[in-house]
Coordinates of all heavy atoms in Angstrom, one line a residue:
E71 N 35.0 -13.7 -2.7 CA 34.1 -14.5 -1.7 C 33.4 -13.8 -0.7 O 32.2 -14.1 -0.5 CB 35.1 -15.4 -0.9 CG 35.8 -16.5 -1.8 CD 36.8 -17.5 -1.1 OE1 37.3 -17.0 -0.1 OE2 37.1 -18.5 -1.6
I72 N 33.9 -12.6 -0.3 CA 33.1 -11.7 0.7 C 31.9 -11.1 -0.1 O 30.8 -11.1 0.4 CB 34.0 -10.6 1.3 CG1 34.9 -11.3 2.2 CG2 33.1 -9.5 2.0 CD1 36.0 -10.4 2.8
A73 N 32.1 -10.7 -1.4 CA 31.1 -10.2 -2.1 C 29.9 -11.2 -2.4 O 28.8 -10.8 -2.3 CB 31.6 -9.6 -3.5
V74 N 30.4 -12.3 -2.8 CA 29.5 -13.4 -3.1 C 28.5 -13.8 -1.9 O 27.3 -13.7 -2.0 CB 30.2 -14.6 -3.7 CG1 29.3 -15.8 -3.6 CG2 30.7 -14.3 -5.1
A75 N 29.3 -13.9 -0.8 CA 28.6 -14.2 0.6 C 27.6 -13.1 1.0 O 26.5 -13.4 1.5 CB 29.6 -14.6 1.7
S76 N 28.1 -11.8 0.7 CA 27.3 -10.6 1.3 C 26.0 -10.6 0.5 O 25.0 -10.0 1.1 CB 28.1 -9.3 1.1 OG 28.1 -9.0 -0.3
L77 N 25.8 -11.2 -0.7 CA 24.6 -11.2 -1.4 C 23.8 -12.4 -1.2 O 22.8 -12.6 -1.9 CB 24.9 -10.9 -2.9 CG 25.3 -9.4 -3.2 CD1 25.9 -9.3 -4.5 CD2 24.1 -8.6 -3.1
G78 N 24.2 -13.1 -0.2 CA 23.4 -14.5 0.1 C 23.7 -15.6 -0.7 O 22.8 -16.6 -0.6
Y79 N 24.7 -15.6 -1.5 CA 25.0 -16.8 -2.4 C 25.7 -17.8 -1.5 O 26.4 -17.4 -0.5 CB 25.8 -16.5 -3.6 CG 25.2 -15.7 -4.6 CD1 25.3 -14.4 -4.7 CD2 24.2 -16.3 -5.4 CE1 24.7 -13.6 -5.7 CE2 23.6 -15.5 -6.3 CZ 23.7 -14.2 -6.5 OH 23.1 -13.4 -7.4
V80 N 25.6 -19.1 -1.7 CA 26.3 -20.2 -1.1 C 27.4 -20.6 -2.0 O 27.2 -21.0 -3.1 CB 25.4 -21.4 -0.8 CG1 26.1 -22.5 -0.2 CG2 24.1 -21.0 0.0
L81 N 28.6 -20.4 -1.5 CA 29.8 -20.7 -2.4 C 30.1 -22.2 -2.4 O 30.3 -22.8 -1.3 CB 31.1 -19.9 -1.7 CG 32.3 -20.0 -2.6 CD1 32.0 -19.3 -4.1 CD2 33.4 -19.1 -2.0
I82 N 30.1 -22.8 -3.6 CA 30.4 -24.3 -3.8 C 31.7 -24.5 -4.3 O 32.0 -23.9 -5.4 CB 29.3 -24.8 -4.7 CG1 27.8 -24.5 -4.2 CG2 29.5 -26.4 -4.8 CD1 27.4 -25.2 -2.9
P83 N 32.6 -25.1 -3.7 CA 33.9 -25.4 -4.2 C 33.8 -26.3 -5.5 O 33.1 -27.3 -5.6 CB 34.6 -26.1 -3.1 CG 33.7 -26.2 -2.0 CD 32.4 -25.7 -2.3
E84 N 34.5 -25.8 -6.5 CA 34.4 -26.5 -7.8 C 34.7 -28.0 -7.7 O 34.1 -28.8 -8.5 CB 35.5 -25.9 -8.7 CG 35.0 -26.1 -10.2 CD 35.8 -25.2 -11.2 OE1 36.4 -24.2 -10.9 OE2 35.8 -25.8 -12.3
P85 N 35.7 -28.5 -7.0 CA 36.0 -29.9 -7.0 C 34.8 -30.7 -6.5 O 34.6 -31.9 -7.0 CB 37.1 -30.1 -5.9 CG 37.8 -28.8 -5.9 CD 36.7 -27.8 -6.2
A86 N 33.9 -30.3 -5.7 CA 32.7 -31.0 -5.2 C 31.7 -31.2 -6.3 O 31.0 -32.1 -6.3 CB 32.0 -30.2 -4.0
L87 N 31.8 -30.3 -7.3 CA 30.8 -30.4 -8.4 C 31.4 -31.4 -9.5 O 30.6 -31.7 -10.4 CB 30.6 -29.1 -9.0 CG 30.1 -28.0 -8.0 CD1 30.3 -26.7 -8.6 CD2 28.6 -28.4 -7.8
H88 N 32.6 -31.8 -9.5 CA 33.0 -32.7 -10.6 C 33.0 -34.1 -10.2 O 33.5 -35.0 -10.9 CB 34.6 -32.3 -11.0 CG 34.5 -30.9 -11.7 ND1 33.9 -30.6 -12.9 CD2 35.0 -29.7 -11.1 CE1 34.0 -29.2 -13.1 NE2 34.7 -28.8 -12.2
R89 N 32.3 -34.5 -9.2 CA 32.1 -35.9 -8.8 C 30.9 -36.5 -9.5 O 30.0 -35.7 -10.1 CB 31.9 -36.0 -7.3 CG 33.1 -35.7 -6.6 CD 32.9 -36.0 -5.1 NE 33.0 -34.6 -4.5 CZ 32.6 -34.3 -3.3 NH1 32.1 -35.2 -2.6 NH2 32.8 -33.1 -2.9
P90 N 30.8 -37.7 -9.9 CA 29.7 -38.2 -10.5 C 28.4 -37.9 -9.8 O 28.3 -37.9 -8.6 CB 30.0 -39.8 -10.4 CG 31.4 -39.9 -10.3 CD 31.8 -38.7 -9.4
Y91 N 27.4 -37.6 -10.6 CA 26.1 -37.2 -10.1 C 25.3 -38.5 -9.8 O 25.2 -39.4 -10.5 CB 25.3 -36.4 -11.1 CG 23.8 -36.1 -10.7 CD1 23.7 -35.2 -9.8 CD2 22.8 -36.9 -11.2 CE1 22.3 -34.9 -9.4 CE2 21.5 -36.6 -10.9 CZ 21.3 -35.6 -10.0 OH 20.0 -35.4 -9.6
D92 N 24.8 -38.6 -8.5 CA 24.0 -39.7 -8.2 C 22.7 -39.3 -7.4 O 22.2 -39.8 -6.4 CB 24.8 -40.7 -7.3 CG 25.3 -40.1 -6.0 OD1 25.1 -38.8 -5.8 OD2 25.9 -40.7 -5.2
G93 N 22.1 -38.2 -7.9 CA 21.0 -37.6 -7.3 C 19.8 -38.1 -7.8 O 19.6 -39.3 -8.5
V94 N 18.5 -37.5 -7.6 CA 17.2 -37.9 -8.0 C 16.6 -37.5 -9.3 O 15.6 -38.1 -9.6 CB 16.3 -37.4 -6.9 CG1 16.6 -37.9 -5.5 CG2 16.0 -36.0 -7.0
T95 N 17.3 -36.7 -10.1 CA 16.8 -36.4 -11.4 C 17.3 -37.4 -12.5 O 18.1 -38.1 -12.2 CB 17.2 -35.0 -11.8 OG1 18.7 -35.0 -12.2 CG2 17.0 -33.9 -10.8
A96 N 16.8 -37.2 -13.7 CA 17.1 -38.0 -14.8 C 18.3 -37.4 -15.6 O 18.3 -37.3 -16.8 CB 15.8 -38.1 -15.7
L97 N 19.3 -37.0 -14.8 CA 20.4 -36.3 -15.4 C 21.4 -37.3 -16.2 O 22.2 -36.7 -17.0 CB 21.2 -35.6 -14.3 CG 22.3 -34.5 -14.7 CD1 21.6 -33.5 -15.6 CD2 23.0 -34.1 -13.5
G98 N 21.2 -38.5 -16.1 CA 22.0 -39.5 -16.9 C 22.1 -39.3 -18.2 O 23.1 -39.6 -18.9
T99 N 21.2 -38.6 -19.0 CA 21.2 -38.3 -20.4 C 22.1 -37.1 -20.7 O 22.4 -36.9 -21.8 CB 19.8 -38.1 -20.9 OG1 19.3 -36.9 -20.2 CG2 18.9 -39.2 -20.8
H100 N 22.5 -36.3 -19.6 CA 23.6 -35.2 -19.9 C 24.8 -35.6 -19.3 O 25.0 -36.0 -18.1 CB 23.0 -34.0 -19.2 CG 21.6 -33.7 -19.6 ND1 21.2 -33.0 -20.7 CD2 20.4 -33.9 -19.0 CE1 20.0 -32.8 -20.9 NE2 19.5 -33.3 -19.9
T101 N 25.8 -35.6 -20.1 CA 27.1 -36.1 -19.6 C 28.2 -35.1 -19.8 O 28.1 -34.2 -20.6 CB 27.5 -37.3 -20.3 OG1 27.6 -37.2 -21.7 CG2 26.6 -38.5 -20.0
S102 N 29.3 -35.3 -19.0 CA 30.4 -34.5 -19.1 C 31.3 -34.9 -20.2 O 31.1 -36.0 -20.8 CB 31.2 -34.5 -17.8 OG 31.8 -35.8 -17.7
P103 N 32.4 -34.2 -20.6 CA 33.4 -34.8 -21.7 C 33.8 -36.1 -21.2 O 34.3 -36.9 -22.2 CB 34.5 -33.7 -21.6 CG 33.8 -32.5 -21.2 CD 32.7 -32.9 -20.1

């Protein structure tokens, strides 16, 4: 985590990413399992 942050990356926790996408793109055609 220190190495990632030291290079300016924003660490995103994996659980936040497994929620349904409800953003502005046409991502609906790409689905998870």
Side-chain angles (χ1 to χ4, degrees):
E71 289 177 341
I72 289 168
V74 166
S76 76
L77 287 162
Y79 292 104
V80 177
L81 188 59
I82 305 293
E84 200 170 342
L87 298 165
H88 293 297
R89 289 184 250 166
Y91 174 78
D92 58 355
V94 300
T95 71
L97 192 61
T99 59
H100 305 279
T101 59
S102 71

